Amino acid sequence: MPQFDPTFFAPQLFWLALTFVTLYFVMSTVALPKIGAVLDERQRKIDDNLDKAAQLKAEAEAAVAAYEKALAESRAHAQSVIKEASDRLAADAEVRNRELAARLADQIKSGEARIAEAKNKALANVRDVALDVAGATIARLVGSPADNTRLEAAVASALKEHGK
């Protein structure tokens, strides 16, 4: 193998050094600056994207905070509207209940008055009917008409005994 022959070491080392220097020069002046530029551009894009993402995140957080604030305000407003409507409806119901209670009380009073009047009429009729029945009964049993003053006294005492 000629590579291991010591007589060829000097030219091999010369060509090795020349190739190394040439490749080193080409790599350092042409390829590495392009690769560095590409890496720098990528890093710049990544940093820009991260900055943009942070900015968008801050905007989103601000929008969420504004949304939550508006939601809380609308809930508070809705609660106040509901409370106001509930209070108004309760007041209206109370007024209607009072009016209904007053109307029912008037109807109850007039009904009680009518019942008392009917009771009085019935009691007056009971006395008259009792007098007629007692007179007719005595007339049939005795055969002659009864004395009206004694008959009225007897009916009055009988009604008094029964609490009428």
Side-chain angles (χ1 to χ4, degrees), residues 95-111:
V95 167
R96 283 191 303 245
N97 284 341
R98 280 192 215 131
E99 290 173 355
L100 180 63
R103 201 171 13 161
L104 289 176
D106 289 343
Q107 288 178 356
I108 288 171
K109 280 184 182 179
S110 68

Side-chain angles (χ1 to χ4, degrees), residues 89-128:
L89 290 175
D92 290 347
E94 182 66 28
V95 167
R96 283 191 303 245
N97 284 341
R98 280 192 215 131
E99 290 173 355
L100 180 63
R103 201 171 13 161
L104 289 176
D106 289 343
Q107 288 178 356
I108 288 171
K109 280 184 182 179
S110 68
E112 286 175 350
R114 285 193 311 262
I115 289 172
E117 183 181 329
K119 181 180 175 184
N120 290 335
K121 282 183 183 178
L123 287 177
N125 288 339
V126 166
R127 185 176 176 279
D128 293 339

Side-chain angles (χ1 to χ4, degrees), residues 107-157:
Q107 288 178 356
I108 288 171
K109 280 184 182 179
S110 68
E112 286 175 350
R114 285 193 311 262
I115 289 172
E117 183 181 329
K119 181 180 175 184
N120 290 335
K121 282 183 183 178
L123 287 177
N125 288 339
V126 166
R127 185 176 176 279
D128 293 339
V129 169
L131 285 173
D132 289 341
V133 168
T137 304
I138 290 175
R140 271 205 175 169
L141 288 176
V142 176
S144 66
D147 182 21
N148 281 339
T149 57
R150 288 180 63 195
L151 190 61
E152 285 179 17
V155 169
S157 77

Side-chain angles (χ1 to χ4, degrees), residues 1-22:
M1 278 186 100
Q3 296 92 338
F4 296 119
D5 187 9
T7 56
F8 292 113
F9 279 171
Q12 285 178 3
L13 288 176
F14 170 75
W15 285 113
L16 175 68
L18 182 68
T19 306
F20 180 76
V21 169
T22 305

